Amino acid sequence: MSVKKMSAAESGGVSKRFGNEEYGDYILMPGDPQRIDTMAGQWDQGAKKLDFHRGYRAAVGRYQGAKIAAVSTGMGGPNLESPLHDFAAKGVHTFIRVGTTGAIQEHVNMGDIIINDACVRLDGTSKQYVRDEFPAAASFEVTMALVQAAEKLGFRYHVGTGCTTASFFAGQSRSCFNGYNRPYAELEMRELQQAQVLNYDMEGSALFTLARIFGVRAGMCASVIAHRITGEYFDDGGIERACLVGAEAVHILTDWDSQKRVRGKQYYVPSFSVSK
Ligand code: URA
């Protein structure tokens, strides 16, 4: 009997799924493949776009001189797992999700940027990696870089906990088209609101948990396109603003990482900037 040889992707090695392009060390991860065009349009001239199997899209280029790349992850943790796994295996060390989100707090407005530094793990993917008590936490350096980027660009932003679900409708306490509604849905959202959770998304906790396990840095910014208290649903340009925040954060991290190398330090600390 002949045994089919496993591909690199199947065996957990470095797959060729995303080609042989030189992606650099920092990857932006939008969910929507169309956002690759938005991102590449904000970078320096000459960005190269790539299309892959199953609708994944990518771009490589430079932003204000810094090497940058973006890879779309599709919707949900299972779709994000493959690019995160493959690029971490290739040696990429920093991943920034640039997404959209639904706000659940009154003080958050449509179009605001939310920088999640941790997420409640209601995704399904991270549960298949590690016990529920393991935290879904962002890299403090990536989070700081996102905050600095939003400050520099003058965009309204919030920092805090998100909640990542494996479902857009029932999982985020929405009624379905036929009226199906979990009896405890409203209560679940109220519990999250009281616990100061800012927003719902569908990828954050999978990214943060798997990144920790793979030993790479991850962070996340998302624009508010839905408001669960007012019932609004639209994009006022927040998606473009979030893409810019992600690109600026890569520029900032590139600088911080080079300062760390010069000083022989593992972590960036704010006093580096003061003594520069
Ligand atoms: N993404 C989500 O996961 N939920 C929303 O409400 C909007 C965007």
Side-chain angles (χ1 to χ4, degrees), residues 22-241:
E22 184 41 64
Y23 284 87
D25 294 326
Y26 308 85
I27 293 191
L28 301 180
M29 293 186 133
D32 183 354
Q34 287 186 359
R35 223 166 295 149
I36 292 294
D37 297 319
T38 307
M39 289 177 164
Q42 295 173 337
W43 302 348
D44 302 350
Q45 287 250 313
K48 182 174 171 188
K49 290 184 240 174
L50 305 143
D51 286 287
F52 297 107
H53 193 47
R54 292 184 187 269
Y56 287 110
R57 298 187 69 218
V60 291
R62 293 198 170 264
Y63 176 77
Q64 297 184 4
K67 177 104 184 139
I68 193 165
V71 177
S72 66
T73 63
M75 201 185 235
N79 284 322
L80 178 136
E81 181 198 23
S82 290
L84 179 65
H85 179 274
D86 287 11
F87 284 107
K90 279 179 199 284
V92 174
H93 58 56
T94 302
F95 298 86
I96 303 179
R97 169 167 149 67
V98 178
T100 55
T101 192
I104 64 170
Q105 296 289 349
E106 233 165 87
H107 70 277
V108 176
N109 294 310
M110 293 295 286
D112 286 0
I113 304 290
I114 296 185
I115 297 167
N116 288 128
D117 57 357
C119 287
V120 179
R121 288 177 51 202
L122 300 186
D123 72 284
T125 305
S126 71
K127 289 186 193 302
Q128 303 207 328
Y129 271 77
V130 68
R131 60 191 297 158
D132 290 355
E133 292 82 0
F134 190 89
S139 145
F140 81 94
E141 290 179 321
V142 178
T143 302
M144 276 204 312
L146 287 165
V147 169
Q148 179 152 322
E151 281 285 338
K152 180 178 170 194
L153 293 163
F155 298 157
R156 249 186 357 240
Y157 68 94
H158 310 265
V159 182
T161 314
C163 174
T164 305
T165 63
S167 140
F168 182 83
F169 293 100
Q172 295 188 5
S173 300
R174 288 183 168 95
S175 299
C176 297
F177 74 98
N178 63 353
Y180 177 73
N181 199 358
R182 290 178 307 162
Y184 46 89
E186 221 176 286
L187 206 60
E188 189 174 275
M189 192 161 99
R190 211 172 320 138
E191 183 189 14
L192 293 170
Q193 287 168 324
Q194 287 184 6
Q196 311 298 329
V197 171
L198 297 174
N199 59 307
Y200 279 124
D201 92 310
M202 294 182 67
E203 292 81 19
S205 64
L207 172 64
F208 292 169
T209 308
L210 272 56
R212 273 298 155 103
I213 291 170
F214 295 159
V216 295
R217 298 187 299 192
M220 168 175 161
C221 65
S223 63
V224 176
I225 60 155
H227 208 298
R228 300 303 305 285
I229 297 171
T230 63
E232 293 164 291
Y233 200 106
F234 62 84
D235 171 35
D236 73 338
I239 290 177
E240 289 202 16
R241 291 195 291 279

